[in-house]
Amino acid sequence: MKVLEAKKITKLFPGVVALDDVDISIYSGEIHCIIGENGAGKSTLIKCLTGVYKPDAGEITINGKDAGKERSLFRRVAYVPQEINLFGHMTVAENLFLPYEKTGVNGLINQKELNQRALPLLKDFAINVEPEMLVRDIPVSAQQLIQIVRATVCQDYQILMLDEPTTSLTTEDTVLLFDIIRKIKATNKAIVFISHKLEEIFELGEVITVFRNGKRVAHERMPNVDLAWVITKMTGRAMNQDETFYSEKVTDEVLLEVNHVTGACFTDVSFKLRKGEILGFTGLVGAGRSELMQAIFGYLPAYGGSVKLNGKPFKLGETNYSVRHGFIYLPEDRKKMGILPMLSVRENITIPSLSKLTRYFSISRKRESALTEAVISAYNIKTPDAEKKIQFLSGGNQQKVIIGRSMSCDPQVLVFDEPTKGIDVGTKAEIYRLMKKLAEEKGIGIILISSEMEEVMKCANRIIALYHGEIYGEFACGEKKERILSAIIGVQADSKGSYAHD
Amino acid sequence: MINTKKKGLATLRRSTLTAITLILFVMVVIAGFISPYFLDMYNLQSLIRDLAFVGMIGIAQSLLLLVGELDLSVGKIASLCGILAGMLMVNGGVDPFLSLGIALILGLVFGLINGLLITKLRLNSMVATIGMSSVYGGINLVLTKGKAITQIPESIYSLGKGNIGPIPIPFLFTLGVLLLVLFLTKKTKTGRYIYAIGNNREAASILGIKVDKIRVMIYAIVGMICALAGILYVARLGSSQSTIGEKWPMMSIASAVIGGVALTGGTGNPAGALVGAAIISVISNVIVLLGVSVYWQSAVSGIVIVLAISFSSLSTIISEKKQKKLG
């Protein structure tokens, strides 16, 4: 039976079409897998289907009735988000029944009754915790299961949506979870399952829908497809623009040598970066790419390992030291970690070079303006004037300010963390060309962190794939996309023959 | 559409200092009309002498607000430094001016302690300085048993009571502090870093700015300015009292905020704090001159201060509403 149907859903965000004319139907008693690369529109779709976002166009019907008009219908959809968002300081039972109105616990809360009601649920899901335990004291895998129980206990649901539920689960817990999902399915509920792990999809799924760039590109019954089909549909091989941006002047000189570095989200990572090389780091969100670079840069702590810059030992743990020695990190989240929003373009450009501009303790306005003008014209920054507050510039121009100002620090290594996130196609190419130019003309070693396969494949001389904080493969440019993609989702052997575990 | 909205907000923010100075002038004119005594030389001098102290602490507080923090122990540091200077002079027989110098350095040390505690232990500045305020106040009580230290040498009285021309000397000190602070914030590298930290602490750290070092430095400077204000107040009273500066923490924050320094950090001009202090002082002065009942004075001045603080957010709210209508 068709429980939910979405027709011609379109959702726009400033500058981006997140969902473009998408149709999807969900049937009860069926496990429906949704797959796509980062940014393909999966999350946006889920948010539309659960009533969090209101689509700009299109219609969602639940049980044949228009959910746009009758919003209480969205209560039929139980949703388990990817991140754990439980109240750590409350007990398991309290977490299960919050918010109380929805679970029929009104007025005064009877702790005993809550605990009593929690017991059978915990038993059904085989979660080995007591109702009165605090959530922060129970294992992460149990927390993940509690999230699922909570979603299902709250309402009279017909559809259960699971957004990457296995990211924090061990293999045994995953098996257990799958049993539970099948049990729920057997009670004639519809299941929507989102995962990056292809092997899980093949194990569990019955129907598959593939998304790419906000469009639904394929829909098929699971037995009719194989791994190759999924990867082809997912990536589209639409390498239409043939322009490549990798450096053509890679030297043999090793610039940066990272040995066995370990930190909170990555273990025992070693790699080398040569002068004039663009080294791509790819992996799923949460693979530890940004954390790794931030730890080398000194922003996050590194627990072990050593780094050499130009053959000399490089101190970890102090951003000031890194910047002085020409190791510059350009953050992914420009708003949160890059720009100084309420300061002017001029102040944002000159902030790293103030020492050079200072005469007799005070900043020379003349030199400052000269540098500002130079950077604005050299990096083609579009701003009405240098005194404009940077928060009012477009993302691409903010990014150019950040690149431009980094160049006045005499960098040797530049780490670009998702440099084109939220940037339109035209400016993207501009930034790629800039990276190529910096590597070729100034001999800078560039590390490019990107979730976009196309981006890494176009720009990087070498590509390192990270999975769960470990290097799962190293590829030369020109490698087949399928192989890299396999490495980042940890399903296949890497180029050196070591096998993925977990 | 988005652009014009933000442009409007930016212009409003940029003009806060000018707007608030205009308001001050209007208030002075009105005050002159409603009370004939307001523009009296003696009244103006005592008003300016009062505002010198709140203004000086306000300027110090605005430095901290710029990096997104605040110090609620300013008053207790000031009174403790006043007491210590007094004890050195009266009980220790140290040269009065040397005692003042030592007190200034002690103020710096107290500020340094605040700063180190907050940065090294990663404490919230508000809670930490509430605690430290008790500590400094407690030491004060232990030392004095609550009694004032009298017989302060008369050689330092002029620092608090004297005038140069018509201008009270404490106010000249405040202007001096303001000029130094303005030079620091507007002209130097460190000043730019202060704004950078207040704007976005994470970005500042990624730029290689030694964020914690600058935060500690500001706490130390603030401690020293507090000591200066405390000493001048002792010179004004002719005795060291543990009650000095009781209202300064709140008054200084109010002054800075009225003057357009954002509580969230990153924007504003320390000069605004002096204007803010002047507004508060004019209000309390007029209330006294109008003969408002003593019991009502606090409530009335409070209401006016809240109105004054609302000024800048009100202008934001109004412009946002306009934009919504247009949008």
Side-chain angles (χ1 to χ4, degrees):
Chain A
M1 190 191 89
K2 196 185 274 182
V3 211
L4 185 148
E5 187 174 23
K7 274 187 221 150
K8 298 193 179 299
I9 298 287
T10 300
K11 178 75 192 164
L12 307 166
F13 289 115
V16 194
V17 185
L19 283 179
D20 188 1
D21 207 16
V22 169
D23 292 333
I24 193 163
S25 300
I26 298 180
Y27 294 85
S28 51
E30 191 171 72
I31 299 176
H32 193 136
C33 292
I34 293 180
I35 195 163
E37 292 183 281
N38 293 326
K42 304 183 301 276
S43 305
T44 315
L45 176 72
I46 294 307
K47 284 186 173 145
C48 287
L49 297 186
T50 48
V52 177
Y53 288 161
K54 214 177 151 157
D56 292 303
E59 184 183 36
I60 298 169
T61 52
I62 297 173
N63 291 333
K65 281 178 253 169
D66 186 357
K69 289 192 185 102
E70 208 175 318
R71 296 192 64 80
S72 62
L73 284 169
F74 284 118
R75 287 203 171 188
R76 302 275 168 193
V77 187
Y79 170 59
V80 183
Q82 185 182 358
E83 294 90 23
I84 289 175
N85 53 0
L86 297 169
F87 302 96
H89 295 271
M90 292 188 177
T91 67
V92 169
E94 282 169 329
N95 267 285
L96 283 180
F97 297 108
L98 269 176
Y100 299 117
E101 315 78 80
K102 282 193 188 169
T103 44
V105 185
N106 289 318
L108 292 173
I109 296 154
N110 182 342
Q111 204 70 37
K112 252 189 198 157
E113 195 200 313
L114 277 189
N115 291 344
Q116 283 302 321
R117 283 180 55 182
L119 277 173
L121 294 167
L122 294 174
K123 204 176 150 233
D124 275 359
F125 281 75
I127 309 171
N128 196 17
V129 296
E130 299 298 323
E132 55 272 5
M133 281 167 121
L134 289 184
V135 159
R136 60 167 177 184
D137 297 333
I138 68 175
V140 180
S141 57
Q143 291 179 7
Q144 184 75 49
L145 292 171
I146 296 276
Q147 290 228 107
I148 297 170
V149 184
R150 183 175 70 168
T152 56
V153 78
C154 262
Q155 11 182 292
D156 185 14
Y157 70 100
Q158 289 174 293
I159 306 161
L160 176 64
M161 295 198 177
L162 301 156
D163 191 357
E164 301 214 37
T166 60
T167 41
S168 44
L169 294 187
T170 62
T171 321
E172 298 101 68
D173 288 329
T174 306
V175 173
L176 193 81
L177 173 71
F178 285 5
D179 285 343
I180 292 167
I181 291 175
R182 288 193 191 100
K183 242 195 255 172
I184 295 174
K185 184 201 121 182
T187 62
N188 209 28
K189 311 272 186 206
I191 310 271
V192 175
F193 185 80
I194 300 168
S195 177
H196 277 299
K197 298 181 186 165
L198 295 180
E199 76 270 43
E200 289 181 356
I201 292 204
F202 278 93
E203 194 189 326
L204 198 64
E206 292 171 330
V207 210
I208 183 168
T209 303
V210 187
F211 280 83
R212 192 172 69 232
N213 293 332
K215 289 195 184 82
R216 194 190 92 164
V217 289
H219 176 77
E220 197 53 73
R221 294 205 69 79
M222 218 59 209
N224 302 341
V225 303
D226 60 3
L227 195 70
W229 181 90
V230 174
I231 291 178
T232 317
K233 290 293 177 192
M234 230 170 109
T235 57
R237 295 189 202 253
M239 301 276 280
N240 44 359
Q241 298 123 319
D242 285 335
E243 189 175 3
T244 54
F245 303 91
Y246 46 82
S247 165
E248 279 156 34
K249 287 181 185 158
V250 183
T251 64
D252 290 335
E253 205 177 325
V254 174
L255 185 60
L256 183 78
E257 196 182 329
V258 175
N259 292 312
H260 310 291
V261 173
T262 297
C265 306
F266 51 89
T267 27
D268 197 23
V269 174
S270 304
F271 65 91
K272 284 185 181 127
L273 172 71
R274 290 174 189 84
K275 262 192 164 177
E277 183 184 36
I278 301 178
L279 175 59
F281 268 82
T282 187
L284 299 173
V285 172
R289 298 161 301 164
S290 303
E291 290 83 355
L292 167 66
M293 293 309 159
Q294 287 176 5
I296 299 171
F297 176 63
Y299 183 73
L300 291 180
Y303 302 153
S306 64
V307 176
K308 279 183 186 169
L309 183 65
N310 280 324
K312 278 175 253 157
F314 184 78
K315 198 164 95 187
L316 296 174
E318 208 185 286
T319 55
N320 182 272
Y321 175 91
S322 306
V323 172
R324 270 189 290 127
H325 289 77
F327 187 104
I328 312 280
Y329 173 73
L330 293 89
E332 168 182 6
D333 193 339
R334 285 185 295 273
K335 216 171 187 176
K336 198 164 149 261
M337 298 165 96
I339 60 165
L340 309 168
M342 292 171 284
L343 295 185
S344 65
V345 173
R346 166 179 58 83
E347 287 164 316
N348 269 282
I349 287 177
T350 57
I351 189 97
S353 0
L354 290 175
S355 299
K356 281 179 247 166
L357 304 172
T358 298
R359 280 284 170 280
Y360 307 113
F361 305 111
S362 79
I363 301 162
S364 154
R365 274 306 282 268
K366 226 167 106 187
R367 287 157 177 262
E368 199 188 358
S369 301
L371 174 66
T372 309
E373 291 307 321
V375 170
I376 288 179
S377 71
Y379 294 91
N380 195 17
I381 297 163
K382 290 182 195 82
T383 173
D385 65 280
E387 295 309 310
K388 184 103 178 153
K389 285 190 188 173
I390 193 164
Q391 57 182 336
F392 304 130
L393 262 55
S394 72
N397 282 304
Q398 288 178 359
Q399 186 65 288
K400 285 190 265 178
V401 167
I402 293 174
I403 298 175
R405 77 174 176 206
S406 307
M407 291 315 294
S408 30
C409 303
D410 303 319
Q412 301 192 55
V413 179
L414 282 178
V415 180
F416 285 84
D417 196 347
E418 303 281 0
T420 60
K421 197 177 176 186
I423 285 175
D424 61 273
V425 187
T427 318
K428 266 185 187 177
E430 217 177 318
I431 285 170
Y432 299 152
R433 256 173 244 128
L434 196 59
M435 286 196 294
K436 178 181 163 82
K437 196 173 128 193
L438 295 177
E440 289 179 352
E441 290 177 10
K442 308 211 166 149
I444 293 171
I446 289 180
I447 293 174
L448 166 67
I449 303 177
S450 179
S451 304
E452 274 182 57
M453 284 307 291
E454 252 109 72
E455 184 165 294
V456 191
M457 298 190 69
K458 267 193 227 173
C459 301
N461 295 84
R462 267 187 309 141
I463 298 166
I464 291 178
L466 275 191
Y467 179 74
H468 278 247
E470 282 174 60
I471 293 185
Y472 259 59
E474 188 186 312
F475 308 93
C477 77
E479 180 63 70
K480 275 197 199 116
K481 188 171 182 179
E482 290 76 9
R483 294 199 59 196
I484 307 173
L485 202 74
S486 303
I488 72 172
I489 47 184
V491 281
Q492 219 177 292
D494 71 14
S495 55
K496 294 188 188 79
S498 68
Y499 282 84
H501 50 76
D502 128 2
Chain B
M1 197 65 248
I2 293 160
N3 253 337
T4 50
K5 172 184 172 182
K6 288 179 175 167
K7 208 175 189 175
L9 284 180
T11 11
L12 270 170
R13 288 226 182 89
R14 205 177 300 146
S15 62
T16 305
L17 184 58
T18 337
I20 211 84
T21 314
L22 271 173
I23 289 180
L24 174 63
F25 273 106
V26 172
M27 285 176 68
V28 168
V29 172
I30 295 174
F33 273 111
I34 57 177
S35 169
Y37 305 109
F38 181 77
L39 291 173
D40 183 79
M41 191 56 153
Y42 177 77
N43 183 51
L44 279 182
Q45 270 183 350
S46 82
L47 188 156
I48 289 174
R49 206 181 301 276
D50 276 341
L51 94 84
F53 293 97
V54 181
M56 191 184 287
I57 303 291
I59 292 163
Q61 197 70 264
S62 65
L63 270 179
L64 277 170
L65 291 179
L66 281 181
V67 286
E69 310 200 16
L70 45 80
D71 188 338
L72 293 176
S73 66
V74 282
K76 293 295 180 198
I77 292 181
S79 66
L80 182 56
C81 289
I83 293 287
L84 290 168
M87 290 180 86
L88 282 171
M89 286 178 228
V90 178
N91 308 348
V94 182
D95 175 75
F97 287 94
L98 181 61
S99 313
L100 298 186
I102 295 172
L104 282 182
I105 291 171
L106 286 171
L108 186 111
V109 172
F110 296 146
L112 204 63
I113 294 172
N114 280 352
L116 287 173
L117 279 174
I118 288 163
T119 54
K120 297 286 168 201
L121 300 179
R122 299 183 195 168
L123 304 179
N124 172 280
S125 66
M126 189 170 79
V127 182
T129 54
I130 287 176
M132 288 313 287
S133 182
S134 276
V135 174
Y136 299 133
I139 297 174
N140 193 329
L141 284 178
V142 169
L143 291 175
T144 61
K145 310 265 186 315
K147 290 186 202 114
I149 295 171
T150 49
Q151 291 164 327
I152 299 287
E154 287 185 12
S155 55
I156 67 159
Y157 280 13
S158 63
L159 289 179
K161 298 183 182 187
N163 299 317
I164 288 178
I167 303 167
I169 290 178
F171 188 69
L172 293 174
F173 274 102
T174 302
L175 287 181
V177 167
L178 178 62
L179 286 180
L180 288 175
V181 166
L182 281 181
F183 180 77
L184 175 74
T185 51
K186 296 291 174 192
K187 291 286 173 191
T188 68
K189 187 171 81 170
T190 314
R192 203 61 72 72
Y193 289 171
I194 290 173
Y195 279 95
I197 295 169
N199 257 269
N200 190 340
R201 192 180 286 178
E202 283 167 326
S205 169
I206 280 173
L207 281 161
I209 295 171
K210 291 180 174 169
V211 174
D212 283 354
K213 206 177 117 189
I214 288 178
R215 288 165 69 205
V216 172
M217 191 194 80
I218 295 171
Y219 276 102
I221 293 174
V222 169
M224 199 166 176
I225 298 176
C226 292
L228 178 64
I231 295 164
L232 294 177
Y233 214 91
V234 168
R236 182 186 181 185
L237 295 175
S239 68
S240 296
Q241 301 186 354
S242 46
T243 53
I244 290 175
E246 272 182 340
K247 284 187 169 176
W248 289 356
M250 291 304 152
M251 296 288 261
S252 60
I253 294 170
S255 306
V257 173
I258 292 174
V261 182
L263 268 178
T264 43
T267 49
N269 187 328
L274 187 56
V275 182
I279 288 179
I280 294 179
S281 304
V282 169
I283 293 165
S284 22
N285 187 267
V286 169
I287 288 170
V288 175
L289 289 180
L290 287 179
V292 173
S293 144
V294 188
Y295 303 111
W296 274 102
Q297 279 177 15
S298 172
V300 172
S301 72
I303 289 168
V304 183
I305 289 172
V306 171
L307 284 179
I309 297 176
S310 321
F311 169 77
S312 65
S313 57
L314 270 180
S315 57
T316 313
I317 293 170
I318 290 166
S319 73
E320 271 174 10
K321 283 225 169 112
K322 268 187 201 158
Q323 286 306 325
K324 258 183 205 154
K325 267 182 206 159
L326 288 174

